Amino acid sequence: MKGTILTRRALIRGAGSVGGALMLSGCDALFDDPAFRNALEKGEDLHRITQRALGGAALAREYREADMSPQFRANGSRSVADAAYRQHLVQGFANWSLRVDGLVERPLEIPLEALRRLEQRRQITRHDCVEGWSAIGQWQGPRLASVLELARLSPQARYIVFHCADLYRGRPYYESIDLADAFHPQTILAWQMNGRPLEEAHGAPLRLRVERQLGYKHAKFVTRIEAVASLAGTYGGKGGYWEDNGAYAWYAGI
Amino acid sequence: MNGRPESLAKPGSLTKDAPLVRRHRLSTRLWHWSNALVLLVMLMSGLMIFNAHPRLYWGEYGANFDPAWLKISSARIGAREFGYLQIGSWRIETTGVLGLWHDAQGHLQRRAFPYWATLPSRYSLAGARIWHLAFAWLLAGGLTLYLGWSLVNRHLQRDIHMTRREWRPANVWRDIVDHARLRFPAGEASRHYSFLQKLAYAGVLFVALPLMIVTGLAMSPGTDAWAPIITEVFGGRQSARSVHFLCAFALVAFFVVHMVMVLLAGPINEVRAMITGRYRPRPGREDGV
């Protein structure tokens, strides 16, 4: 008889690869199902609630100078194309200022020099990237709380949004945190890293440090801070660039 | 295992086989299969997370400029491109499986673990984290419930606990020899776990799975703030990440040996016992067969 000879080995291999492919596509299809995906993403709320309940206002670990990474990896946007930003960079940010607005009683334009004159906090902390790597560096700047107290938050304010000068893959980068993290003692607006003014690759002139969360929350090139009652009205509504464009969790404490 | 013999054979039916006995409790069976599924999801989504930064370090920090003790990558020598796994200074080419492989559509990919081993199958760190971090709750919750219930129903005390007599070198050595010769206990003895079996199951229940959970938590910057000890005991976050990975592969090794033993011991009887709870003791000298 002519025809394909199906050996037992080929049959097993065939069945194995069909089974494997079915399982793979099955899991991928399941993940695309909105109800299932939604249920999985509820894990994020569980993490946030548990961590806040157990951790409260606990401080992130701080290290000694000897513990610091010899070289601190820069990730995400490493340069900014915006013309106004390039001009400020050339001028050493001498005429640059940070805008604070939204749900505040006193909107502010704070020059970098004024931020440097506020009470400073210096901390050596570990930066954990969502990808899995870590680097230890020293950061200095005023507490975000000091700046928010100057601007006087309205009672309706629930979140602080950080608008950045960079575009990542053509879209504006932004991030947000809630008031629990905004008023945390280690949450600072760092203008100095490892004893020197921030380099462009690390977010000059100002980057957020929110030490109990992953790297993508630490917005670089911060130009404007906005207090809002809800995240729904900002860009994609999920509270950050990666949250909107990549399904990353808004609460990045884990 | 209940250890209570119970004849299920119809009265009068002639059978040479020993009667079925109750072996695995409902709690054991439920946890066994649900945990198997959870671990598969954890492994596959974990491999995808690893793909985002396919290097492992010792210590508190570790990134591209720092020396990695394990690395999966691809490189090019002249026109030839290849994938490789590097551990210390030892390197092995892994083209087709690790570092450089073709996906289901035939496109060349330069990621560490191939599409058929990861969840999701297409590169997505965010997607893998959603799977991994949601199923982590099922893993930890399931293990806690199972261990708690197994204490209450005395499964741990009766079936897993190793007595001083079992720890005697002569008994340990005999069990090793029996396993090496693939000589499995028969009759009454086949109804209890042997020393190595207990050791393997206790190792999974009390060492490997708890270590997976603790090293996983050690990587969380939020947890690290309120429980720094979790990271410190491993010598830093990157060490904890390395232990997490090593532990995952220890569980894969357990799975492989587990499958081989099930196949050798009689897969139908063993799988039936883990589904229905009923087990047919192996015929042997003690039964006079």
Side-chain angles (χ1 to χ4, degrees):
Chain A
M1 234 169 78
K2 277 190 182 177
T4 321
I5 298 169
L6 205 57
T7 63
R8 193 197 311 205
R9 179 174 299 189
L11 197 67
I12 290 171
R13 196 168 6 175
S17 58
V18 166
L22 272 179
M23 208 192 77
L24 278 183
S25 57
C27 281
D28 288 342
L30 200 58
F31 194 59
D32 290 336
D33 176 72
F36 182 80
R37 172 77 166 260
N38 203 32
L40 281 189
E41 288 183 350
K42 283 278 175 285
E44 181 191 336
D45 297 330
L46 215 49
H47 290 301
R48 192 190 68 252
I49 293 164
T50 317
Q51 297 267 17
R52 289 274 162 82
L54 293 170
L59 295 182
R61 259 199 304 165
E62 296 193 16
Y63 299 84
R64 296 164 304 159
E65 276 186 38
D67 302 323
M68 283 165 53
S69 296
Q71 202 173 343
F72 199 110
R73 179 182 164 180
N75 206 21
S77 296
R78 268 156 280 192
S79 65
V80 180
D82 180 62
Y85 177 90
R86 307 281 348 146
Q87 202 177 348
H88 281 304
L89 184 70
V90 169
Q91 297 166 352
F93 298 99
N95 302 311
W96 180 94
S97 62
L98 170 74
R99 215 165 108 202
V100 184
D101 59 14
L103 296 173
V104 294
E105 287 167 17
R106 201 166 68 132
L108 301 171
E109 286 275 354
I110 315 178
L112 187 58
E113 195 44 45
L115 288 169
R116 288 173 176 168
R117 279 198 307 268
L118 287 173
E119 193 188 334
Q120 301 288 298
R121 186 183 161 89
R122 181 183 279 192
Q123 58 204 30
I124 300 176
T125 52
R126 197 188 62 219
H127 181 90
D128 297 330
C129 179
V130 66
E131 294 168 356
W133 54 269
S134 310
I136 297 177
Q138 186 195 62
W139 306 94
Q140 186 188 311
R143 287 183 55 200
L144 175 62
S146 311
V147 174
L148 295 178
E149 277 153 18
L150 281 177
R152 291 203 293 267
L153 281 187
S154 308
Q156 306 95 298
R158 287 285 170 274
Y159 300 94
I160 308 297
V161 178
F162 301 86
H163 297 273
C164 308
D166 62 316
L167 298 179
Y168 194 77
R169 293 181 188 157
R171 290 180 186 171
Y173 200 93
Y174 81 103
E175 257 306 338
S176 64
I177 57 177
D178 60 13
L179 299 186
D181 269 320
F183 285 93
H184 186 266
Q186 286 170 320
T187 301
I188 62 172
L189 294 169
W191 58 272
Q192 209 183 63
M193 174 191 177
N194 295 350
R196 293 210 311 270
L198 272 183
E199 290 168 16
E200 185 180 4
H202 288 292
L206 206 62
R207 93 174 289 179
L208 174 68
R209 295 299 308 169
V210 47
E211 301 295 355
R212 298 180 302 172
Q213 297 207 39
L214 296 172
Y216 63 88
K217 299 297 287 187
H218 302 228
K220 305 200 282 192
F221 318 107
V222 175
T223 54
R224 178 182 161 218
I225 293 175
E226 184 192 11
V228 295
S230 151
L231 297 172
T234 309
Y235 298 109
K238 290 182 181 164
Y241 176 92
W242 288 108
E243 291 88 328
D244 283 343
N245 299 306
Y248 284 86
W250 177 79
Y251 176 71
I254 191 151
Chain B
M1 289 197 291
N2 288 4
R4 260 180 287 141
E6 181 198 350
S7 177
L8 295 180
K10 284 189 190 116
S13 73
L14 278 171
T15 170
K16 269 185 159 183
D17 292 330
L20 289 170
V21 296
R22 284 193 191 172
R23 185 175 177 86
H24 302 299
R25 288 177 178 81
L26 182 63
S27 55
T28 302
R29 287 178 272 143
L30 280 176
W31 180 75
H32 174 274
W33 293 113
S34 59
N35 191 57
L37 179 72
V38 168
L39 281 183
L40 183 68
V41 169
M42 291 306 279
L43 176 70
M44 294 178 71
S45 53
L47 295 181
M48 173 57 84
I49 294 173
F50 179 85
N51 275 3
H53 190 72
R55 299 152 186 252
L56 294 175
Y57 314 86
W58 295 117
E60 193 70 80
Y61 61 79
N64 302 47
F65 306 115
D66 306 307
W69 70 267
L70 183 147
K71 180 176 162 186
I72 297 174
S73 189
S74 64
R76 188 189 284 276
I77 297 178
R80 198 176 71 87
E81 196 179 11
F82 58 95
Y84 68 88
L85 161 70
Q86 187 166 332
I87 299 175
S89 55
W90 174 81
R91 186 186 271 203
I92 185 172
E93 256 194 61
T94 52
T95 308
V97 187
L98 300 174
L100 190 75
W101 39 269
H102 287 95
D103 64 18
Q105 286 75 41
H107 301 300
L108 193 65
Q109 299 286 347
R110 290 174 183 81
R111 302 277 179 191
F113 287 102
Y115 74 96
W116 50 261
T118 63
L119 185 64
S121 53
R122 279 179 60 182
Y123 180 79
S124 169
L125 171 59
R129 279 173 54 82
I130 292 170
W131 278 105
H132 204 74
L133 299 178
F135 271 67
W137 285 100
L138 300 179
L139 176 70
L143 181 69
T144 307
L145 283 177
Y146 176 60
L147 288 181
W149 190 242
S150 296
L151 268 177
V152 170
N153 70 17
R154 302 191 58 78
H155 171 48
L156 294 177
Q157 296 92 319
R158 283 183 188 158
D159 306 319
I160 304 292
H161 175 68
M162 286 164 276
T163 61
R164 192 168 289 182
R165 213 179 61 195
E166 286 175 283
W167 276 104
R168 275 197 207 142
N171 179 64
V172 174
W173 178 245
R174 200 186 57 206
D175 200 28
I176 292 171
V177 170
D178 282 349
H179 271 85
R181 290 185 181 159
L182 303 180
R183 205 163 55 195
F184 294 106
E188 180 59 25
S190 74
R191 290 172 45 193
H192 305 284
Y193 295 145
S194 70
F195 176 81
L196 288 182
Q197 246 180 317
K198 288 185 181 182
L199 195 66
Y201 298 152
V204 167
L205 288 174
F206 299 111
V207 181
L209 292 179
L211 259 182
M212 290 306 307
I213 295 166
V214 171
T215 51
L217 281 170
M219 283 184 267
S220 147
T223 307
D224 202 17
W226 57 267
I229 180 105
I230 269 183
T231 311
E232 280 163 3
V233 292
F234 294 101
R237 180 182 194 246
Q238 291 301 321
S239 294
R241 185 168 173 264
S242 290
V243 174
H244 195 69
F245 190 84
L246 289 172
C247 222
F249 278 83
L251 283 168
V252 171
F254 166 82
F255 172 75
V256 170
V257 173
H258 188 53
M259 286 303 100
V260 169
M261 297 311 290
V262 164
L263 286 175
L264 290 174
I268 294 175
N269 193 22
E270 297 289 333
V271 174
R272 173 184 51 206
M274 198 43 92
I275 294 172
T276 69
R278 317 275 180 201
Y279 177 75
R280 197 182 299 287
R282 295 168 66 86
R285 290 168 310 253
E286 282 153 301
D287 292 344
V289 176

